[in-house]
Amino acid sequence: MQKIWITLSLLLSMSSPAWSQTVKVSPEVTSDSVAKVSSRSEFDVIGRTYHAGTPYALPHAMFVIDRRAGNKIFYVNSKKFRFHKDFLYATGLAPLGTDIYKSAYFDEDRRFIVGTIAWQKPVDKWTWELWEGDRASAAHIAIADAAIQASFFERVFFKPNSTRHQEEVLKLSLPIVTEDEIGKGQEYIALNVGSTVGRVHIIDKLDDTVEIGDNEILILRELPASLPPVAGIIVARQSTPLSHVNILAKDWGIPNVYIKDADKLFRELDTKWIRFEATFTNYSYKFADKEILDSYTPPNIRRAPVDLSVRRLAGIASMRKSDSVAFGAKAANLGHLLNRNFADVSIPDGFSVPFFWYDRFMKENGFDKVIEEAIQDIDFVHNPRVRRKKLEELRSAIQKGRIDSALRDEIVRRWKSQLGGRPVFVRSSSNAEDLPNFSGAGLYSSVPNVRSGDQLIEAVKKVWASLWKFEAYEARVRNYVDQQTVYMSALIQIGVDMDRGGVMFSTNPFREKNSDSTYISVVCGHNDPITANGGMPEQIIVEGRSEEHTSEL
């Protein structure tokens, strides 16, 4: 029997699901979609409705067409799945990690055509539409229209959402319904009602120099493909209520409206704090006075737990889950697994350098002051291009920093005495990962195949520096993690010459209600391509209680 070596990052509970060789398709798949809609009542079973119970109700449901399966159409259970990608991943039509944007929105030879069908009450017609950024050709539109008309109980009209869509549909003889017909020349449309307090930010051109804050009310000329969380959205050009950003706005519970020429009407409010309220029929705003600002409650900043009193280098065998506050979750969880003594599971030996030494290194070299000054600098905070450059400079400086000589000697001594000087991986283990609703997976660096004492010390510094990678910094900002309370440990572990490696989750991330399933991604060789998004792994879902597993290639 082959032995399983646990060297990877695990996001798992300590339960052990049963394994079997029976391969079956999950029985839940049949309830995820239907192949035909024969009546309004059938549509209502799978559809969701925005603004239900009001004159502005918008019943709608997503659809997916699989060209590889002869243009088979799936009318997606849109009460169960929020986005097309959730359905594609959960059903195995698209393996986890597939670039859905590319394969469904941009490629000419795309496998999938994805869109939404809706009942448009203002014109009393059914419409189908694509995302406004979809690069669909006339051929794609024709394929989708044919599949829909053959499987839907009434005529469904194509609704173009972009200039490209309009140009492509002109090559066909398809009846259409435009946004102008539905909006009837309106100068205001509420896509999501509500009230908010925020700082007005007019964005004339959205590029990589524009920083968007979660406390901002954005005024945009047109909607981008996606946005980070914000306080409110005002668009100067009509957009579909079914766009990705509009769905996000609903999830965030923020007002989201179309106001004709908003970028001009609100120009004098740019950078000002206001209270903005949107109803179905109108909007209003007022400058935020002291009373309004005092009542404003920003999101709670999360401070990752840490214990800086622990100075000793500790072997994995001596660790338990509770040691994560000193050594990070990765090292502590490996120690916990080791001490569970699972049969046929081995964990390569290793030891960890606690957060104390990272903190001391940063302070002795003055890097803590560099970080403190950066997060107070206006250009650093508001210009991503500047932020990226400054963080690159910081990581380079950390790599050149002077490490404590006693620590250096102890790391090398322990590598030789405990691990026999064998080749090792130096792995990141931060306190800013495996937090509630923020895993931090794949954000930090590890260094493989370290074979000498000098390489080992340089690898430790590289791991420490990876805490300040641009992507890691941005992820913490978006998840409200305090940048001044994050620390990095270095886990030094014997390397394994592996035939296959992978990553395992203790739940299927796209079927969160099924807590008894385990999701595994596996590649030939080392598991680095998975966390680095460098390839397409084999993916296995293990159903613990049913003793079945589904393998998707």
Side-chain angles (χ1 to χ4, degrees), residues 213-497:
D214 58 74
N215 61 359
E216 293 184 334
I217 299 173
L218 300 186
I219 298 181
L220 304 160
R221 289 187 176 180
E222 56 186 41
L223 283 182
S226 188
L227 283 172
V230 293
I233 301 171
I234 301 172
V235 187
R237 174 183 171 184
Q238 280 198 44
S239 67
T240 170
L242 304 177
S243 73
H244 180 76
V245 168
N246 291 335
I247 294 173
L248 288 176
K250 281 196 165 295
D251 289 344
W252 299 332
I254 62 171
N256 177 25
V257 301
Y258 154 70
I259 300 174
K260 184 178 179 181
D261 297 328
D263 54 325
K264 300 174 183 176
L265 294 175
F266 286 78
R267 184 63 62 175
E268 65 180 23
L269 299 180
D270 196 22
T271 75
K272 304 293 193 302
W273 279 76
I274 64 171
R275 169 176 287 174
F276 182 81
E277 183 169 356
T279 67
F280 284 120
T281 58
N282 208 344
Y283 70 91
S284 62
Y285 69 87
K286 65 176 293 187
F287 288 104
D289 54 24
K290 185 177 184 302
E291 181 181 352
I292 291 175
L293 292 175
D294 286 345
S295 66
Y296 170 70
T297 304
N300 291 326
I301 299 298
R302 293 191 283 181
R303 292 173 175 80
V306 65
D307 180 357
L308 296 177
S309 67
V310 178
R311 301 173 56 130
R312 61 182 174 83
L313 276 59
I316 292 176
S318 69
M319 293 186 198
R320 301 294 185 276
K321 287 175 64 177
S322 58
D323 291 311
S324 63
V325 292
F327 297 95
K330 186 181 297 180
N333 283 343
L334 284 173
H336 193 93
L337 282 169
L338 178 63
N339 285 279
R340 289 292 298 270
N341 296 315
F342 290 118
D344 300 312
V345 174
S346 294
I347 296 176
D349 197 9
F351 63 93
S352 189
V353 181
F355 297 137
F356 169 87
W357 291 107
Y358 162 84
D359 182 57
R360 180 164 174 173
F361 170 82
M362 295 294 284
K363 289 176 177 176
E364 287 182 344
N365 287 275
F367 299 137
D368 60 326
K369 300 298 182 185
V370 174
I371 295 168
E372 185 177 339
E373 291 173 5
I375 62 179
Q376 299 298 325
D377 179 74
I378 292 177
D379 286 338
F380 180 88
V381 171
H382 293 291
N383 190 325
R385 190 175 294 172
V386 170
R387 189 159 58 251
R388 185 185 292 273
K389 183 175 183 294
K390 293 290 186 182
L391 289 172
E392 287 176 357
E393 292 171 352
L394 173 61
R395 293 198 305 278
S396 178
I398 289 174
Q399 197 69 56
K400 297 173 184 176
R402 186 183 63 83
I403 198 168
D404 183 273
S405 59
L407 173 63
R408 178 190 182 97
D409 293 344
E410 176 62 14
I411 291 174
V412 174
R413 185 197 66 77
R414 186 142 192 170
W415 167 58
K416 292 179 177 179
S417 62
Q418 180 182 334
L419 307 182
R422 296 166 63 185
V424 293
F425 278 64
V426 182
R427 311 179 64 204
S428 59
S429 185
S430 170
N431 69 328
E433 55 189 326
D434 296 329
L435 299 174
N437 300 316
F438 179 60
S439 73
L443 292 178
Y444 311 116
S445 298
S446 294
V447 183
N449 201 26
V450 176
R451 294 172 174 268
S452 72
D454 289 341
Q455 288 179 346
L456 184 56
I457 299 306
E458 291 305 304
V460 168
K461 290 193 289 183
K462 182 172 182 178
V463 166
W464 283 347
S466 72
L467 190 63
W468 301 104
K469 290 169 64 176
F470 177 79
E471 295 78 10
Y473 186 94
E474 298 296 287
R476 293 194 296 267
V477 168
R478 301 299 179 218
N479 288 274
Y480 311 113
V481 177
D482 185 356
Q483 303 284 1
Q484 292 184 285
T485 60
V486 294
Y487 298 87
M488 181 64 76
S489 167
L491 168 62
I492 298 162
Q493 190 176 21
I494 291 174
V496 174
D497 184 13

Side-chain angles (χ1 to χ4, degrees), residues 120-134:
Q120 305 288 355
K121 179 59 179 173
V123 293
D124 285 330
K125 292 179 179 178
W126 290 97
T127 64
W128 72 270
E129 61 188 84
L130 306 170
W131 169 53
E132 56 264 43
D134 195 316

Side-chain angles (χ1 to χ4, degrees), residues 4-5 7-9 496-504 520-531 537-538:
I4 299 175
W5 294 84
T7 64
L8 54 154
S9 300
V496 174
D497 184 13
M498 59 185 76
D499 295 320
R500 292 174 178 82
V503 176
M504 181 164 65
I520 303 170
S521 283
V522 183
V523 293
C524 293
H526 197 270
N527 63 304
D528 274 348
I530 298 175
T531 55
E538 179 178 358

Side-chain angles (χ1 to χ4, degrees), residues 74-130:
F74 301 84
Y75 290 99
V76 177
N77 184 343
S78 301
K79 294 174 181 175
K80 185 174 184 179
F81 299 103
R82 200 66 175 151
F83 299 108
H84 294 96
K85 67 177 179 64
D86 300 332
F87 169 77
L88 290 170
Y89 286 153
T91 57
L93 285 170
L96 298 186
T98 300
D99 185 348
I100 296 296
Y101 276 99
K102 190 171 184 293
S103 62
Y105 298 119
F106 297 112
D107 286 352
E108 176 63 29
D109 62 345
R110 65 184 66 179
R111 175 180 175 181
F112 302 110
I113 301 172
V114 303
T116 306
I117 290 181
W119 171 248
Q120 305 288 355
K121 179 59 179 173
V123 293
D124 285 330
K125 292 179 179 178
W126 290 97
T127 64
W128 72 270
E129 61 188 84
L130 306 170

